[in-house]
Amino acid sequence: MIKRTMYLEKLEMYLQRDVVKIITGVRRSGKTTIIKQFIEELKANGIPEENIIYLNFEGMIYAYFTNAADLREMLVEFVNGADGHAYIFLDEVQNIDGWAQVAAELMNLFDCDIYVSSSNASVFKNDFANVLGYRYVKIDVYPLSFSEYLQLTASEPGHFEEEGTELLSKEAMFADYLKRGAMPGAYALKNDADAADYLSNLYNAIILKDVVQCNNLRDISHIDKIMEFILSHMGEVFSPKAVRDYVKSSGVIISVDTVYSCLDALTGAFVINKVPRFDIKTDRELETQEKYYVCDIAMRNAVMRDEGAGFEAQLENVLCNEMLQRGFKLYVGKQGQSQIDFMAVRGQDRTYLNCCETVLDKETVKKEFGPLTRIRDNYFKMVLSMDGETIVNKGGIINFPFISFLVGG
């Protein structure tokens, strides 16, 4: 496994700061690996092993831990026995009721760093922020980016310089990335069928553990139909009413409120990402007609067992995950009757991005560049395309190679 430097640097940034570090992300996205890599870095920098404790509450060893009292007793004993500053790592801590109370008490009474991870948003329930005195930071972990894919596959034939071999093009490697996906565990399986089974089984585990069980859902007959609708409409705006009508067509009657609750549960499991709309002219977020993107294209294809989403929908999905990983808040831009794929916001800055397969077609140029040219502000605007070079320049708004953007930032 490669070192996921971006996340390790974030953890190092908050080292020995009086905040709980909360690491979140979809199941099997690499959170545990990142934690273990960080622990190895601590040891390499001279932290004694006896000052570090790592507990995984999905493992068999600690499966019997279910409440705060048991956790507190163990950790107090550990901290008291440590020689100096202690480092506490609690993996999949959402399985422990009252974890936040224990973390708050430890921070108040002892000299320690606390790191927790969770595969669903239940870790943020029960007034956790107030319990922690708002002393926490949230670090979101995403599946592999394309740059990380290139690192992970650097030793594979065609990916590296070797005399007598033909190198794969970046376009071929990007196609391979779309096929194999972004979940690290899939890369241990060289057979496509085995990888697809792995992703399908992982999806089922996410739905069962992080959607159904985490939210105490009793009637789950509609969950698969709602996800089926979302995975079939990637890159499209739609309303909860449209989802309800789709589920109803299969013979299951649910309310719009139930759709909202299920969408919250699915985003809370990080299996899909919600991108709300934003009216650029009135400068306000809109409450309806959002888009949803899946955490991993290959997982989507394994679940749907079809030929895959449209290519431009896949580009949008990759771009969505890339910008989220870079720390941007994303919106679908509404510009009059037109739409901008993404308005990416970080701090006080904005970037408007459209993406498409090629800008060689005049109608595509009109569709992709037109809405951007009509935005009357000075923020950066760009069209990302699979063309190998910049072809179009409309008043300083250019197309830029999509793959170069992913690799170069």
Side-chain angles (χ1 to χ4, degrees), residues 72-111:
R72 181 188 181 280
E73 182 180 356
M74 170 180 274
L75 293 180
V76 168
E77 182 179 350
F78 161 72
V79 175
N80 281 329
D83 183 16
H85 193 81
Y87 299 83
I88 299 169
F89 296 86
L90 308 177
D91 209 349
E92 300 296 354
V93 77
Q94 76 277 358
N95 294 324
I96 304 297
D97 294 330
W99 71 269
Q101 287 88 343
V102 176
E105 183 177 352
L106 289 169
M107 281 198 303
N108 290 332
L109 298 179
F110 300 101
D111 182 20

Side-chain angles (χ1 to χ4, degrees), residues 110-144:
F110 300 101
D111 182 20
C112 61
D113 262 33
I114 302 176
Y115 303 79
V116 305
S117 80
S118 176
S119 294
N120 57 64
S122 65
V123 73
F124 301 116
K125 293 180 180 178
N126 301 324
D127 199 26
F128 90 100
N130 188 47
V131 171
L132 292 175
Y134 295 89
R135 292 179 298 168
Y136 73 93
V137 292
K138 180 170 174 280
I139 299 172
D140 297 317
V141 171
Y142 294 92
L144 299 171

Side-chain angles (χ1 to χ4, degrees), residues 271-288:
V271 68
I272 56 174
N273 295 306
K274 175 183 175 181
V275 181
R277 286 195 308 155
F278 190 94
D279 191 310
I280 298 169
K281 184 176 181 180
T282 61
D283 199 41
R284 65 187 180 92
E285 182 177 337
L286 302 175
E287 296 181 355
T288 60

Side-chain angles (χ1 to χ4, degrees), residues 3 8 33-47 49 52 89:
K3 277 201 170 185
L8 294 172
T33 298
I34 291 167
I35 288 172
K36 291 184 176 180
Q37 289 177 347
F38 187 64
I39 289 173
E40 290 306 312
E41 288 194 357
L42 291 177
K43 294 177 183 177
N45 289 325
I47 303 300
E49 188 168 355
I52 301 171
F89 296 86

